[in-house]
Amino acid sequence: MKPLRDLGYRTVSFVGHLGRIATFVGEISLHVWRPPWRLRRLIAELYDVGVLSLAIVCLSGVTVGAVLGLQGYTTLARFGAESSLGAVVGLTLVRELGPVLTALLVTGRAGSAMAAEIASMVQTEQLDGLRMMSIDPVDFVVTPKALAMLLVMPMLNALFIAFALFGGYVVGVELLGLEGGTYVSSMESSITFENDIAGTLLKSVIFGGLIGAIATYRGFISEPTSAGVSAATTGTVVTGSVAVLLFDYVITALWGV
């Protein structure tokens, strides 16, 4: 009976977490539209999440694009279809790898840092200090962080795709000798705005909202100890990564993007 009882307890606990995070997200959404708007804090968070993530996103984009170009050329050459390399690289990056890998990178760098910062504020009772001054910590601390994550993700996704396309072009055209015009025209003819560009924008916005909600929630409910900070950071990376992959499947299954 004990395994069955443990399973029931974990199920009830999981459903309880879903309810609490839904309430938490609803509270954030209300503060987004309700003044006062914390523009200075939002700009600072945009810098922390966006600018400080540029190096890892751009470098990873070039690397992924180069590997994709090399693997794609090797595979297509078996069937005499090297001219389709631009279409394969472009569609793979825009529809799938761009938004997913960008979200995973941002979860590991910015999401974990966001959760650790809020958890440290819980540990040092800074959030309690805000409540004593009649300042809502969800409004003052959490909302600018979650909103910054939502806003910056589409831009990071676009940069990742641009640098990855550059990496694929260098490998396919400059190193392997494919005709540059063929590579570019193949890519242009295969990518459409409605199905591909709009789809990657939709995914990046949803992933940004997911990561922002999970990171701030994990930090906000953390235990006021050093172990609590560590658990919030680890939990953000694990939960955020699984949520991104799960929602990626759901979005692809529902809308085919």
Side-chain angles (χ1 to χ4, degrees):
M1 292 298 293
K2 187 175 183 304
L4 189 60
R5 186 170 61 247
D6 291 343
L7 179 62
Y9 174 77
R10 291 178 183 277
T11 302
V12 171
S13 176
F14 177 72
V15 173
H17 268 296
L18 289 181
R20 284 191 290 274
I21 196 171
T23 304
F24 187 72
V25 171
E27 195 173 351
I28 294 173
S29 302
L30 287 177
H31 286 298
V32 168
W33 301 105
R34 182 187 301 166
W37 292 289
R38 315 282 184 182
L39 290 180
R40 285 189 177 181
R41 294 190 60 81
L42 177 61
I43 292 172
E45 297 299 337
L46 287 173
Y47 177 83
D48 287 343
V49 177
V51 176
L52 297 184
S53 300
L54 282 179
I56 186 173
V57 167
C58 295
L59 182 60
S60 300
V62 172
T63 307
V64 169
V67 172
L68 194 59
L70 184 59
Q71 290 281 14
Y73 186 90
T74 305
T75 304
L76 291 171
R78 297 178 183 175
F79 307 98
E82 303 95 313
S83 59
S84 301
L85 180 64
V88 171
V89 172
L91 285 174
T92 305
L93 287 169
V94 172
R95 294 177 67 95
E96 196 60 44
L97 290 185
V100 171
L101 290 183
T102 304
L104 295 179
L105 289 169
V106 173
T107 301
R109 202 214 69 78
S112 59
M114 191 177 287
E117 182 181 350
I118 298 176
S120 298
M121 297 179 75
V122 172
Q123 182 190 8
T124 55
E125 301 180 348
Q126 294 181 56
L127 297 188
D128 292 333
L130 290 174
R131 292 189 183 95
M132 289 180 65
M133 293 185 290
S134 300
I135 298 174
D136 187 350
V138 176
D139 176 33
F140 190 76
V141 177
V142 171
T143 301
K145 293 181 182 297
L147 184 59
M149 184 68 80
L150 179 69
L151 294 176
V152 84
M153 188 63 75
M155 292 179 274
L156 291 178
N157 178 36
L159 279 173
F160 180 93
I161 292 173
F163 276 83
L165 292 177
F166 172 73
Y169 181 89
V170 169
V171 171
V173 176
E174 302 297 335
L175 297 183
L176 299 177
L178 191 64
E179 181 66 32
T182 302
Y183 181 91
V184 174
S185 63
S186 170
M187 186 186 305
E188 286 180 343
S189 61
S190 62
I191 296 176
T192 62
F193 179 83
E194 293 181 357
N195 292 330
D196 305 317
I197 304 298
T200 195
L201 180 62
L202 173 68
K203 283 186 176 181
S204 60
V205 170
I206 292 177
F207 293 164
L210 270 177
I211 298 168
I214 290 171
T216 53
Y217 177 74
R218 284 284 186 179
F220 199 76
I221 65 164
S222 64
E223 296 291 332
T225 61
S226 300
V229 177
S230 175
T233 306
T234 307
T236 296
V237 175
V238 174
T239 310
S241 300
V242 173
V244 165
L245 296 175
L246 180 63
F247 272 76
D248 179 52
Y249 174 78
V250 172
I251 295 168
T252 303
L254 289 179
W255 290 292
V257 295

